[in-house]
Amino acid sequence: MINNNLGNPQLEVTHVEDVKDGINQIVVDSIQYGNQEMIMEKNVPVTMKDGEILYVNIFRPKKDGQFPVVMSSDTYGKDNKPKITNMGAAWPTLGAIPTSSFTPEESPDPGYWVPNDYVVVKVALRGSAGSNGVLSPWSKREAEDYYEVIEWAAQQEWSNGNIGTNGVSYLAVTQWWVASLNPPHLKAMIPWEGLNDMYREVAFHGGIPDTGFFHFWIQGIFARWTDNPNIEGLIQAQQDHPLFDDFWKQRQAPLSNITTPLLTCASWSTQGLHNRGSFEGFKQASSKDKWLYIHGRKEWESYYARENLERQREFFDYYLKEEDNDWLETPRVIYEVRDQFYRGEFKNADQFPLPNTNYKALYLNNSDMSLSKTQVSNDLVAAYDSESDDDELRYVYTFEQDTELTGNMKLKLWVAAENAEDLDIFAGIKKLDRRGNEVHFPDFNHIEKGQVATGWLRVSHRELDETKSTIAQPWHTHEHEQKVSPNEIVPVEIELLPSGTLFKKGESLAVVVKGNEIIKGNSTPLPNMKTRYEHEDTVNKGNHLVYTGGDYDSHLIIPVIE
């Protein structure tokens, strides 16, 4: 339904700092609809069953009626700076983020939703924004609080009883968690890029502890709430729990419990943070009605893009307003196949992984550093210095015809360390044009010179869960260490995170293997602030050896779409 409620340019926009606790009559600078009058209730207390008080902000239409609710929750602060300005110049490549002044970072914009007759509720979770409880990120405790606020909102006089959750990153993580508890009035959810397995998707990558974004993010939580001594020390927990033990299992949302209709977004571009969990959420949720939208662009820019707001609203209109709008005819999977930077074709499918996937093997050949469809007969070994920033192995395959690769890839290697009992392996997939130049794509945390796909593995974590592993996606248990002896040759399978890329005839795929990050360092000009993943707590020492040919079937599994 088209919104004809255009705003009045004569209205003076309310400054966010002029809003007081309680009920306010405000004017919001809606990007889509012009200056819009609405009601804002600030710092509304909601009492939990254990007596802890959470605080929420409510934006609602300035008219009588009962409306569906769009809700988001996190511990970033419901009153934090708008337009993600707290990132500022430190994040130079965010792209366009068109929102009203009342939009906290990664949250639904009241300037869009309220004129469309929705109530927007922003929840400050336990331990933040005046709540003195224990701040325990991405935990069942948070989910239980979120559940209570959902049920509270359903009973308010301005609510029609239908609640939908929406939001990016932390705001998506909390959705996966609360939906696993199945609140009765949660009727639909839009987790737009967010993890749901804290161990595998942010604290560790392939068993290697992340010392970059994970530490930066947790330190940021402490910096926001300096007056709260009750914030869980997750950096220390990372050191104390290097394996996937009960501590981390409790941080893995039970996705199969979810039955709520869902529209989730995944991106090829957020590998190492939101990519894996978005796909796993879609695959593992038990919801009968579920949709997956996949892009290869920038996260916040895509979330707030008008075409995606309209996609979100059509979904919510169907489930929260119960409008007959043909939403059910929407393809279950819409995905972008990237060709170049910000250039790709969107396609439709019925499921993910795509049903028309033909998994093929490309074998590594150390004689000429190539990839080929057949394995060479003689054993060959190649070495790289695992402590060098520049030394690497690179294997190249040139396509003989246009080929779409969409889905997970798996890299199997036979490896050894000359003088160590463990190895940290960093693997990447790159696209090269017909002249041998790398084709870059948006990548994690909005950098622009990214690669196709990324993977990591600490070799002592090579144990597989055979019940969950597939031909293209190894699933590592991370529950036991299996150290190696110097020069002991062992097979490993490295999970390369999902991607969707078109390789035209004459273009090439390159596999890169090395002992540290393939894409280096900070995406910001600020010293000592790493906002990419980093893995400085490495076990690497000396030369690593990779064996190919003969008894050593080192190969790359690629998902060819036919």
Side-chain angles (χ1 to χ4, degrees):
M1 182 181 298
I2 296 175
N3 185 323
N4 292 315
N5 186 24
L6 296 182
N8 181 352
Q10 304 303 316
L11 296 173
E12 183 178 353
V13 174
T14 306
H15 194 282
V16 291
E17 295 181 357
D18 292 336
V19 177
K20 309 300 183 185
D21 287 355
I23 296 177
N24 298 264
Q25 308 278 342
I26 65 171
V27 176
V28 173
D29 52 341
S30 168
I31 296 294
Q32 297 81 18
Y33 305 118
N35 297 344
Q36 290 282 326
E37 294 183 279
M38 61 186 72
I39 296 171
M40 178 184 179
E41 297 184 55
K42 183 175 179 178
N43 283 341
V44 177
V46 182
T47 304
M48 302 292 98
K49 288 186 293 186
D50 66 357
E52 182 60 61
I53 297 176
L54 306 189
Y55 295 91
V56 306
N57 288 343
I58 302 165
F59 299 85
R60 52 189 176 89
K62 189 181 176 181
K63 59 184 177 182
D64 294 334
Q66 293 182 318
F67 308 97
V69 176
V70 178
M71 186 179 292
S72 66
S73 73
D74 57 43
T75 61
Y76 290 160
K78 57 184 176 52
D79 302 302
N80 65 325
K81 296 178 182 178
K83 295 181 180 288
I84 320 189
T85 53
N86 55 326
M87 302 298 187
W91 296 65
T93 62
L94 296 180
I97 307 174
T99 69
S100 74
S101 299
F102 284 83
T103 308
E105 63 189 85
E106 304 183 318
S107 304
D109 182 356
Y112 176 77
W113 290 100
V114 174
N116 284 300
D117 287 341
Y118 283 86
V119 174
V120 173
V121 176
K122 179 67 184 179
V123 184
L125 288 170
R126 185 177 297 242
S128 68
S131 163
N132 296 316
V134 175
L135 197 163
S136 182
W138 305 339
S139 64
K140 187 178 181 181
R141 171 71 270 175
E142 282 191 339
E144 290 168 344
D145 286 346
Y146 202 172
Y147 181 116
E148 290 193 53
V149 181
I150 287 171
E151 294 306 300
W152 169 86
Q155 306 303 320
Q156 302 309 301
E157 60 181 5
W158 35 256
S159 170
N160 72 352
N162 294 334
I163 314 298
T165 55
N166 194 350
V168 181
S169 188
Y170 199 139
L171 290 65
V173 182
T174 55
Q175 290 182 69
W176 292 120
W177 259 111
V178 73
S180 74
L181 304 180
N182 289 300
H185 289 90
L186 177 60
K187 301 301 176 64
M189 58 188 290
I190 304 178
W192 197 274
E193 298 196 50
L195 60 91
N196 40 56
D197 183 336
M198 190 183 242
Y199 183 93
R200 291 177 176 86
E201 293 159 13
V202 64
F204 296 82
H205 295 125
I208 308 171
D210 175 56
T211 57
F213 178 82
F214 184 64
H215 288 196
F216 160 79
W217 176 77
I218 295 166
Q219 290 161 354
I221 296 291
F222 277 90
R224 289 174 193 258
W225 311 116
T226 55
D227 57 344
N228 184 2
N230 301 311
I231 301 175
E232 189 172 13
L234 290 175
I235 295 176
Q236 186 63 47
Q238 183 192 43
Q239 298 171 3
D240 294 342
H241 301 274
L243 296 176
F244 186 60
D245 58 12
D246 287 342
F247 177 86
W248 298 110
K249 289 175 183 177
Q250 293 171 5
R251 287 306 211 289
Q252 184 182 41
L255 300 171
S256 62
N257 292 350
I258 296 173
T259 59
T260 303
L262 68 90
L263 166 62
T264 188
C265 173
S267 169
W268 312 132
S269 306
T270 53
Q271 300 195 4
L273 187 63
H274 297 151
N275 163 282
R276 186 183 189 276
S278 300
F279 287 102
E280 292 305 318
F282 175 78
K283 291 190 292 183
Q284 295 184 41
S286 298
S287 307
K288 178 176 66 73
D289 294 351
K290 57 182 180 179
W291 286 264
L292 174 63
Y293 171 74
I294 313 166
H295 67 89
R297 308 184 179 211
K298 296 187 180 184
E299 187 172 26
W300 298 321
E301 187 174 55
S302 295
Y303 176 67
Y304 292 110
R306 183 63 182 266
E307 62 267 27
N308 288 326
L309 293 177
E310 295 299 310
R311 191 189 315 275
Q312 296 168 37
R313 182 163 67 95
E314 186 180 2
F315 173 71
F316 273 168
D317 282 351
Y318 182 81
Y319 286 102
L320 305 185
K321 292 185 178 180
E322 300 175 1
E323 289 185 1
D324 184 8
N325 61 3
D326 300 323
W327 169 260
L328 294 181
E329 295 180 8
T330 303
R332 291 303 177 106
V333 177
I334 299 173
Y335 69 101
E336 182 181 18
V337 182
R338 299 192 291 190
D339 179 15
Q340 295 183 15
F341 188 91
Y342 263 64
R343 191 174 82 184
E345 178 184 359
F346 281 91
K347 297 184 175 183
N348 300 333
D350 296 327
Q351 62 190 53
F352 191 91
L354 303 182
N356 53 332
T357 306
N358 184 6
Y359 294 105
K360 297 182 178 181
L362 298 176
Y363 292 90
L364 280 63
N365 184 348
N366 280 332
S367 65
D368 59 2
M369 305 309 292
S370 68
L371 296 160
S372 60
K373 296 178 182 178
T374 57
Q375 184 180 354
V376 296
S377 58
N378 54 320
D379 300 351
L380 293 166
V381 61
Y384 63 91
D385 181 352
S386 70
E387 298 177 89
S388 167
D389 283 344
D390 302 318
D391 203 10
E392 65 182 30
L393 299 179
R394 183 175 291 225
Y395 303 86
V396 177
Y397 176 82
T398 300
F399 288 87
E400 299 172 350
Q401 60 186 25
D402 291 1
T403 305
E404 175 190 334
L405 303 184
T406 298
N408 279 85
M409 301 186 205
K410 178 181 75 177
L411 181 62
K412 180 180 180 181
L413 299 175
W414 288 85
V415 298
E418 288 184 343
N419 298 298
E421 61 178 6
D422 208 348
L423 306 79
D424 287 338
I425 300 175
F426 297 76
I429 303 294
K430 295 180 178 292
K431 177 179 176 177
L432 309 179
D433 66 19
R434 296 182 178 100
R435 292 159 293 281
N437 302 312
E438 182 173 355
V439 178
H440 292 291
F441 299 103
D443 208 329
F444 174 57
N445 271 344
H446 309 273
I447 70 165
E448 301 211 343
K449 292 189 175 181
Q451 57 191 359
V452 170
T454 303
W456 308 261
L457 185 64
R458 177 161 287 180
V459 168
S460 60
H461 286 237
R462 64 189 179 277
E463 179 183 68
L464 295 174
D465 184 332
E466 298 293 351
T467 64
K468 294 182 178 179
S469 296
T470 67
I471 184 174
Q473 185 184 13
W475 193 288
H476 299 95
T477 65
H478 299 294
E479 293 181 356
H480 311 97
E481 281 191 323
Q482 298 177 331
K483 297 291 183 66
V484 296
S485 301
N487 290 306
E488 178 186 359
I489 305 170
V490 296
V492 298
E493 296 186 6
I494 301 172
E495 177 185 16
L496 294 164
L497 296 169
S499 59
T501 312
L502 174 65
F503 291 84
K504 294 180 180 177
K505 180 180 179 180
E507 296 180 334
S508 300
L509 176 153
V511 174
V512 179
V513 179
K514 62 184 304 187
N516 46 65
E517 281 300 337
I518 295 168
I519 301 174
K520 291 297 182 189
N522 298 349
S523 60
T524 82
L526 299 184
N528 303 318
M529 190 177 93
K530 292 184 163 71
T531 56
R532 276 186 61 78
Y533 34 70
E534 297 289 335
H535 304 88
E536 295 174 341
D537 185 13
T538 181
V539 298
N540 285 341
K541 179 182 178 182
N543 282 343
H544 288 175
L545 308 176
V546 175
Y547 293 79
T548 68
D551 295 331
Y552 304 111
D553 63 335
S554 295
H555 63 269
L556 174 71
I557 295 293
I558 57 173
V560 179
I561 306 305
E562 298 183 338

